Amino acid sequence: MSEETIKKIGHLIRTCKYTIAISGAGVSTPSGIPDFRSPNSGLWETYNPFEVASLNAFRHHPEQVYNWLRPLAKLISHAPPNSAHYGLAKLEAAGYLQKIITQNVDSLHQKAGSNNVLEVHGSFRTLTCTSCFKQHDSSEFFSMFIQDGEPPRCRSCQRILKPDAILFGEQLPAQTWLQAVEACRRCDLLIVIGSSLEVIPVAGLPMHAIENGAHLIILNQQETYMDIRADIILREDVAETIPAVVNEVLNGGS
């Protein structure tokens, strides 16, 4: 890891007035949660997302979706935040990070202490009935689901509950998305962390920042289409990079 690059990142964070982060699966993989798109290891190398993780699949075969979801739900329920999550929470607490826009549905940013988190792909914290539309706290259901594999059902009408993580073919939460766009237009520094920027529409968010003159830092092990527009690129494990950046910002590298 280049000490000079860490110093440059720290300087930008200290001097910019409104910094936001976009976080992707690469932030959570050090916590043991697999990503979806990495060659040879991503979940979509093994599963067809339109068969196991689409809105259409849930409407017609919800049990099949839950069969696929069960091992992932177990991983998420037991996964601890890692040093990248805690580092971003420290930057927020110190006033250097105003908002996190995350593609992740595991809520590990919040578990680490971050408060200003926009979950543009939803989360597994809640479940919604597609019949009566009552929303439920998933903690009431998921431990039993993980144990016996039986899909959770609405206590009011007994329909299978849908996780509030966004499925393929489903619209993003409108208000959350509008807040994410506004944050990108407002920021003077955007840090992309652990995201390949391949998933639309989140992949387009950095353009809102760039078009308004913001600086761009990319911390990701793979290339992204925005690399050509970035001020700084660092291809290292974010669980190592973020703590180094936080130390530089808060302590001047001491």
Side-chain angles (χ1 to χ4, degrees):
M1 190 186 310
S2 168
E3 184 177 342
E4 181 181 355
T5 301
I6 296 297
K7 287 184 178 295
K8 288 180 179 178
I9 294 172
H11 175 74
L12 270 178
I13 294 174
R14 283 194 301 267
T15 55
C16 286
K17 296 180 179 179
Y18 195 92
T19 297
I20 67 172
I22 293 176
S23 73
V27 176
S28 291
T29 49
S31 293
I33 299 175
D35 71 6
F36 291 84
R37 297 175 179 275
S38 292
N40 303 319
S41 62
L43 290 176
W44 301 150
E45 291 283 317
T46 307
Y47 300 96
N48 182 337
F50 292 99
E51 293 179 356
V52 298
S54 70
L55 187 58
N56 186 62
F58 185 84
R59 284 171 173 165
H60 293 91
H61 305 288
E63 294 89 354
Q64 180 175 310
V65 173
Y66 269 105
N67 284 339
W68 169 77
L69 177 62
R70 188 181 178 192
L72 182 60
K74 184 176 182 179
L75 283 174
I76 289 176
S77 67
H78 292 95
N82 61 61
S83 56
H85 296 109
Y86 285 117
L88 293 173
K90 286 181 180 178
L91 288 180
E92 180 188 304
Y96 290 107
L97 182 64
Q98 278 61 55
K99 206 170 293 290
I100 297 173
I101 300 167
T102 187
Q103 298 170 274
N104 300 331
V105 297
D106 50 43
S107 300
L108 290 181
H109 285 299
Q110 291 93 326
K111 290 180 181 178
S114 292
N115 295 307
N116 299 314
V117 182
L118 297 175
E119 296 171 309
V120 290
H121 288 169
S123 79
F124 284 124
R125 287 198 312 278
T126 55
L127 307 165
T128 298
C129 179
T130 57
S131 178
C132 69
F133 304 108
K134 184 176 181 180
Q135 191 176 66
H136 303 260
D137 187 330
S138 64
S139 63
E140 302 174 25
F141 300 90
F142 262 32
S143 58
M144 187 64 68
F145 160 62
I146 291 170
Q147 180 177 323
D148 62 22
E150 187 67 28
R153 292 183 178 273
C154 178
R155 293 196 176 102
S156 299
C157 61
Q158 296 304 306
R159 292 286 295 272
I160 293 179
L161 296 169
K162 180 197 167 295
D164 287 334
I166 300 301
L167 301 176
F168 282 86
E170 187 175 8
Q171 289 187 337
L172 303 189
Q175 290 301 316
T176 302
W177 176 251
L178 291 174
Q179 291 176 52
V181 171
E182 176 59 28
C184 288
R185 289 174 174 167
R186 179 181 176 186
C187 74
D188 54 359
L189 173 60
L190 170 61
I191 310 174
V192 175
I193 308 171
S195 175
S196 57
L197 296 177
E198 293 181 355
V199 180
I200 298 295
V202 174
L205 284 175
M207 289 305 300
H208 292 292
I210 291 296
E211 288 169 355
N212 285 278
H215 294 285
L216 175 63
I217 297 172
I218 297 178
L219 309 178
N220 193 56
Q221 292 186 320
Q222 287 81 41
E223 295 180 356
T224 80
Y225 84 100
M226 287 298 296
D227 286 1
I228 195 171
R229 305 294 298 274
D231 295 79
I232 301 172
I233 300 171
L234 194 56
R235 303 206 190 286
E236 304 281 351
D237 184 342
V238 296
E240 298 177 2
T241 300
I242 296 300
V245 168
V246 173
N247 183 54
E248 174 63 32
V249 172
L250 300 183
N251 305 311
S254 61

